[in-house]
Every structure is written in structure tokens, then in C-alpha cells.
């Protein structure tokens, strides 16, 4: 036996005991193990973090090489899948999580044609990146297990069509060919990279990946349609329905950042620092709340809730919060302020009522919950402002930091596509060019904004790294 063949056989023997023997998967077998509600949600959220970044890459028209790099780095962070050679790693555990997360998100994203389309596009991209980062031996074993229903073209048939096969781009006499129905490789047909004969496509083996990618996409589309038909019974489970409804919003709002679990960055700020910090470092939602507060000397309930929790996570202590809100609410005497607002402020800090330690609201919560009315100032400007008001506000708030009218078409394009967190991320990049932030850098490592405190922390960190420091700290 050839040395390389012995190596492949040895790998298969070593890993044949795995429940999930392949790093790649067509997801044709749903998980059968018992899982907790917490695991159900965690597996899906971690996977959605990766898919959401893929969606953001498409919204920003990133080149495929950049998309591939970001997808790989996000996968390594949230849903790593080690190669079969990594015998010291829990490969079955990784693949179990991957499989579970995929099937949970099927339940969340099968609910409408638009969600299914976006889910298929992101999942197919993730599969494609993984396929390209998989070893040749692992691909071979995956191909054998996938029931791809292709036929290897024998020598006699290749001789019969030799003159026509020579016309296939980059053709070589040594090429092997696979024969499939032409409908399974529409991308290759469009590019004229195959020979068509009587409804069959003769595909060079070097183009085999196109068959695999198309098969993955076709099977997933079919599976989502079937899942949608079977979904009504899920409405009876009151534990799962809220989780699935929340997950299905992931492409619009991004995935709730881990910032949501943090109460503070660990750096305290004072009441008199807030206004200058707002002009230098706050995302538009919080800039809008600060400017409304300065102009009207009051905020309605949901505005105080959104802004108060943000400032708390930013590092504003309860004592400084009392000073800040008291100075801002100039239309009240001390007694009126204490009666109307003191209890609510202390409640946000877990000092009254249930004494819960409330986290700051993520972009997803701001976008999807407590929709603002005509006289409210909370919410997300990218979603809740009219197009004209949004453009006017962007120029008013961020022109001093370098945003110009020439930037508006790109920002408004992402808003129109309902990629609101992508629009916010692009504003961050534009307003931080003096700190060497380029288009595509996001708030770091290409990531998009998913939490207002994440935006503010990244902005302040860039200023400190540039040597300027917060001027309000002097």
C-alpha cells in the first residue's frame, strides 16, 4: 500500500469511534441527546455570533478574502472545530455543539422567506470557509459519507468526448471528471466551466467543491421549508418560543454582546465628565439621549432607563448618578426630584425594589423592545428616525469628528437594508480615522457594534492608545 494511503486509513481508524467523525457536516441528522434549555440557547447564540458577522460582511461588501478571515477568526472564538488530527481536543463535544446550534437556528430562521434566505446564505458561507480550511484527507472521507450522488466518468467516456472536454477552461488530459445533472452546478454552467451533454454536466475534479457547496445549499433550503411546515407545534412550548423569537432577530440587531453581562468597565467617571464623553465617545443612540436631556432638562421613562443603565455600565457610580440627574433635571426642586426620580435611579443600581443588578441594554434590546413614540427619545436612531432626520442628525453630531455628506449614501444604504448595527459600525470607523481606524476595521478585528457600551469603550481605548487620553480626566 502507498505511504499516503496508509496514512489516510490510519486516520480513519483512529477517528472511527467518534460519534461525529467528520469536521464537515451536511446536517442531515438532528441531535438526539437530551440538552438543557441553557445549552439549547447557548449553542445557538454562539453560532449566531458567527453568522451575524458573515451577514455584516455581506452588508459591507467585503472582499471574499476578508470575509473568509473574519469568519475563520469568529469561528475559532465561538464555535471552534478542530481537525481529526487534534486527538487531545474534545472533537465530539465541539461537533455536538456545532450540530445543536445549527438545528436550533433552523427553528428560529425558518419562519419567513426572508429569514430562510439570509440564513442559507450565511450558513453556506460558513460551510464554504470550513471546507477550504479542511485537509484533503478529511474532505475525501466527508465526500464518501455524504451521498452526493455523482458518477466518476470512465476512461472510455472521456475518450468519446475528448475533443469537447478540451474546450473546458484550464482543461488537462490528466483531468478526471464527475457527471451530475446540470441543475446541481448552476454556478459552473453560468461560467461555462463544464461540458453539457444531454442534461448532464461533466465537471472537472478540481471543481468538485462547487458540487458540494450547491448540494449543501439545496439540502438546507429543502430542510428549512420542511421545518417551517412542522413549526406550529413549537408554539405550545412556552419555554422555547421566546428564545427562538429572540434568535430570529439576530441579523437585524446583531447578537447581544457579552457587554450586557458587565456592570462597569471598572473605571469610574464623574457627573461633570458625561457631556464631553458623549461628544467624543458615545454612539448615536446615547448622543441623542444626552442632547435631548440637555435641551429639555428631562427624559421620559424608557429614555431614563436606556441612558441610566448605559451610564451605570460606563462607570457612573450611584452617588455620581444622583449628581448627574439632579443637575440635568433643572425644572424641579430637591423635594420634587427626590419624590419623582430618586427611587427609580436607585432601583437601576439594585438598591431598591427587587434589588436586581440590571445590565445595560444591548443593541438588540434597544432595537426590538419598547418601541419609541412620537415624543420619546429612546431607541435606535438608525431604525427609528426618518431618513431625513437621520441624515441631519448624523451631520450635526459627527461632522466635527470627520463625517461628511459624502459618507451618507453608504450609511443610508445599510440602514435601508436593515443592517442597523452595521451603519453604527461604519460611523465609528469614519469618526476614528485619526486613530488609524480604516474601513473594515470595525471596533476591532473587524467586529461590528452590538452594544452601546462596547462602542464607547472601544472609542475611549483608541484615544488612550493614541496618547491623547480623555481630556475630561485632567
Amino acid at each position: 500500500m502507498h505511504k499516503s494511503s496508509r496514512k489516510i486509513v490510519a486516520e480513519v481508524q483512529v477517528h472511527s469511534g467518534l460519534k461525529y467523525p467528520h469536521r464537515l457536516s451536511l446536517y442531515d441528522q438532528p441531535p438526539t441527546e437530551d440538552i438543557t434549555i441553557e445549552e439549547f440557547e447557548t449553542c445557538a447564540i454562539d453560532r449566531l455570533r458567527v453568522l451575524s458577522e458573515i451577514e455584516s460582511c455581506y452588508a459591507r461588501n467585503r472582499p471574499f478574502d476578508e470575509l473568509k478571515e473574519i469568519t475563520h477568526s469568529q469561528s475559532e472564538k465561538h464555535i471552534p472545530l478542530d481537525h481529526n488530527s487534534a486527538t487531545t481536543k474534545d472533537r465530539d463535544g465541539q461537533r455536538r455543539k456545532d450540530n445543536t446550534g445549527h438545528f436550533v437556528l433552523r427553528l428560529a430562521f425558518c419562519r419567513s422567506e426572508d429569514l430562510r434566505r439570509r440564513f442559507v446564505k450565511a450558513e453556506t458561507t460558513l460551510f464554504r470557509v470550513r471546507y477550504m480550511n479542511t485537509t484533503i484527507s478529511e474532505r475525501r472521507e466527508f465526500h464518501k459519507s455524504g451521498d452526493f450522488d455523482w458518477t466518476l466518468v470512465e476512461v472510455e467516456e472521456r475518450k468519446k468526448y475528448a475533443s469537447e472536454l478540451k474546450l473546458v477552461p484550464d482543461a488537462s488530459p490528466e483531468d478526471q471528471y464527475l457527471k451530475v445533472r446540470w441543475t446541481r452546478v448552476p454556478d459552473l454552467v453560468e461560467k461555462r466551466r463544464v461540458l453539457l451533454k444531454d442534461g448532464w454536466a461533466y465537471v472537472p475534479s478540481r471543481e468538485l467543491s462547487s458540487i458540494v457547496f450547491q448540494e449543501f445549499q439545496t439540502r438546507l433550503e429543502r430542510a428549512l421549508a420542511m421545518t417551517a411546515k412542522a413549526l406550529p407545534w413549537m408554539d405550545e412550548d412556552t419555554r422555547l418560543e421566546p428564545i427562538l423569537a429572540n434568535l430570529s432577530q439576530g441579523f437585524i440587531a446583531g447578537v447581544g454582546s457579552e457587554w450586557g453581562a458587565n456592570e462597569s468597565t471598572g473605571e469610574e467617571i464623574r457627573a461633570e465628565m458625561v457631556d464631553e464623553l458623549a461628544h467624543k465617545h458615545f454612539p448615536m443612540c446615547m448622543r441623542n439621549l444626552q442632547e435631548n436631556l440637555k435641551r429639555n432638562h428631562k427624559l421620559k421613562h424608557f429614555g431614563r432607563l436606556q441612558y441610566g443603565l448605559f451610564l451605570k455600565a460606563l462607570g457612573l457610580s450611584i452617588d455620581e448618578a444622583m449628581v448627574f440627574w439632579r443637575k440635568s433635571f433643572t425644572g424641579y426642586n430637591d423635594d420634587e426630584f427626590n419624590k419623582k426620580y430618586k427611587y427609580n435611579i436607585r432601583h437601576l443600581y439594585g438598591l431598591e425594589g427587587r434589588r436586581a443588578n440590571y445590565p445595560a441594554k444591548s443593541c438588540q434590546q434597544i432595537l426590538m423592545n419598547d418601541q419609541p413614540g412620537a415624543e420619546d427619545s429612546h431607541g435606535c436612531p438608525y431604525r427609528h428616525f426618518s431618513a431625513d432626520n437621520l441624515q441631519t442628525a448624523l451631520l450635526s453630531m459627527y461632522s466635527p469628528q470627520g463625517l461628511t455628506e459624502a459618507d451618507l449614501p453608504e450609511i443610508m444604504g445599510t440602514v435601508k437594508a436593515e443592517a442597523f448595527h452595521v451603519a453604527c459600525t461604519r460611523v465609528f470607523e469614519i469618526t476614528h480615522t485619526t486613530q488609524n481606524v480604516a474601513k473594515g476595521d470595525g471596533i476591532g478585528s473587524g467586529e461590528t457594534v452590538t452594544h452601546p457600551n462596547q462602542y464607547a469603550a472601544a472609542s475611549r481605548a483608541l484615544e488612550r492608545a493614541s496618547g491623547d487620553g480623555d481630556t475630561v480626566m485632567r
Side-chain angles (χ1 to χ4, degrees):
M1 184 183 292
H2 191 273
K3 183 177 180 181
S4 61
S5 299
R6 288 198 300 271
K7 181 180 178 183
I8 293 171
V9 171
E11 287 182 358
V12 174
Q13 290 173 342
V14 168
H15 307 295
S16 59
L18 294 173
K19 181 171 183 180
Y20 298 93
H22 305 293
R23 184 171 180 267
L24 297 170
S25 176
L26 293 174
Y27 303 103
D28 48 5
Q29 294 296 326
T32 56
E33 308 93 341
D34 292 335
I35 62 173
T36 64
I37 293 292
E38 181 181 3
E39 185 180 7
F40 181 93
E41 184 173 18
T42 300
C43 290
I45 288 176
D46 284 345
R47 189 179 193 84
L48 186 54
R49 293 186 194 282
V50 179
L51 299 186
S52 181
E53 286 298 333
I54 292 173
E55 169 101 346
S56 297
C57 286
Y58 281 119
R60 305 184 70 182
N61 296 314
R62 289 183 183 274
F64 183 74
D65 284 345
E66 288 185 21
L67 183 152
K68 183 171 65 173
E69 182 179 345
I70 290 171
T71 301
H72 180 68
S73 65
Q74 290 296 306
S75 296
E76 288 294 300
K77 182 177 180 181
H78 299 295
I79 48 173
L81 284 180
D82 284 301
H83 295 280
N84 279 340
S85 57
T87 55
T88 60
K89 298 296 182 70
D90 182 13
R91 291 156 296 163
D92 253 343
Q94 292 176 342
R95 294 166 191 183
R96 178 179 182 271
K97 177 182 178 179
D98 179 72
N99 198 55
T100 301
H102 172 86
F103 276 94
V104 173
L105 291 184
R106 276 194 195 180
L107 294 173
F109 285 93
C110 71
R111 297 159 176 248
S112 72
E113 184 176 346
D114 179 61
L115 287 176
R116 290 195 292 270
R117 176 185 57 79
R118 295 166 77 170
F119 180 67
V120 168
K121 185 175 182 179
E123 278 282 351
T124 304
T125 301
L126 175 60
F127 177 83
R128 184 180 177 187
V129 171
R130 284 177 170 173
Y131 186 93
M132 296 171 73
N133 288 328
T134 298
T135 64
I136 294 176
S137 62
E138 286 177 320
R139 288 184 197 175
R140 287 173 181 164
E141 292 306 312
F142 171 67
H143 296 157
K144 293 176 183 177
S145 70
D147 188 24
F148 287 101
D149 191 27
W150 54 47
T151 303
L152 182 65
V153 178
E154 300 294 343
V155 175
E156 289 302 317
E157 194 171 3
R158 289 214 311 270
K159 289 181 178 179
K160 179 180 179 181
Y161 299 120
S163 60
E164 294 169 279
L165 289 172
K166 286 180 181 178
L167 301 177
V168 174
D170 304 319
S172 168
E174 291 76 29
D175 280 343
Q176 287 190 320
Y177 288 84
L178 303 168
K179 186 165 68 171
V180 297
R181 286 295 177 184
W182 72 269
T183 52
R184 294 182 54 191
V185 284
D187 57 328
L188 296 180
V189 172
E190 181 183 9
K191 297 173 184 176
R192 300 185 178 183
R193 298 192 65 82
V194 296
L195 170 65
L196 293 180
K197 254 329 181 181
D198 300 325
W200 294 95
Y202 289 74
V203 183
S205 56
R206 65 178 176 277
E207 304 283 5
L208 180 145
S209 60
S210 290
I211 305 177
V212 176
F213 299 156
Q214 185 62 40
E215 184 71 12
F216 179 90
Q217 179 176 325
T218 300
R219 292 193 188 191
L220 182 54
E221 288 170 344
R222 186 165 56 242
L224 284 170
M226 293 175 63
T227 305
K229 292 179 181 179
L231 191 64
W233 67 269
M234 290 292 298
D235 295 337
E236 300 175 5
D237 194 326
T238 56
R239 301 169 302 165
L240 301 184
E241 179 58 28
I243 296 174
L244 296 175
N246 187 56
L247 290 170
S248 67
Q249 299 166 359
F251 284 157
I252 293 178
V255 184
S257 169
E258 295 168 0
W259 276 93
N262 297 335
E263 282 307 304
S264 173
T265 59
E267 179 183 346
E268 290 190 8
I269 63 171
R270 299 185 301 277
E272 65 266 23
M273 296 165 57
V274 172
D275 190 52
E276 187 171 349
L277 287 171
H279 283 81
K280 296 174 68 178
H281 302 299
F282 286 8
M284 194 177 189
C285 55
M286 301 305 167
R287 281 282 298 269
N288 179 57
L289 285 165
Q290 174 63 16
E291 292 189 6
N292 271 275
L293 182 59
K294 284 182 63 179
R295 182 170 58 250
N296 302 321
H297 307 292
K298 63 180 181 180
L299 284 177
K300 299 183 76 171
H301 170 72
F302 288 116
R304 297 196 306 274
L305 180 64
Q306 180 176 318
Y307 197 35
L309 291 174
F310 168 81
L311 292 175
K312 173 189 170 186
L314 192 68
L316 193 69
S317 68
I318 179 60
D319 292 334
E320 290 295 323
M322 284 296 180
V323 174
F324 171 76
W325 290 106
R326 180 66 192 94
K327 287 183 176 180
S328 299
F329 282 49
T330 57
Y332 303 90
N333 60 40
D334 289 342
D335 187 51
E336 290 172 330
F337 177 82
N338 289 338
K339 286 181 179 179
K340 285 180 175 287
Y341 302 111
K342 185 175 181 179
Y343 177 90
N344 288 335
I345 296 169
R346 286 175 55 81
H347 190 273
L348 292 182
Y349 282 77
L351 301 175
E352 301 288 355
R354 293 190 302 148
R355 299 183 182 275
N357 198 10
Y358 299 102
K361 291 184 177 292
S362 67
C363 293
Q364 186 177 77
Q365 292 170 314
I366 292 170
L367 280 161
M368 309 310 297
N369 301 336
D370 305 322
Q371 299 300 294
E375 297 181 1
D376 290 318
S377 51
H378 67 281
C380 172
Y382 298 102
R383 182 174 193 183
H384 299 124
F385 280 19
S386 69
D388 289 342
N389 287 345
L390 176 58
Q391 293 180 82
T392 300
L394 281 167
L395 291 173
S396 173
M397 292 180 187
Y398 294 109
S399 288
Q401 292 172 271
L403 188 143
T404 68
E405 287 191 27
D407 299 312
L408 294 179
E410 180 184 4
I411 297 169
M412 298 307 296
T414 57
V415 170
K416 186 176 181 180
E418 295 189 337
F420 306 112
H421 59 309
V422 175
C424 186
T425 304
R426 184 65 189 122
V427 170
F428 181 93
E429 292 171 344
I430 293 168
T431 55
H432 290 82
T433 54
T434 56
Q435 281 104 14
N436 298 317
V437 176
K439 182 176 182 179
D441 288 347
I443 57 170
S445 302
E447 289 192 38
T448 53
V449 176
T450 58
H451 200 291
N453 288 93
Q454 179 192 32
Y455 183 112
S459 178
R460 298 182 74 192
L462 283 170
E463 185 174 63
R464 285 192 291 269
S466 68
D468 296 334
D470 288 329
T471 57
V472 290
M473 298 295 290
R474 290 200 297 264

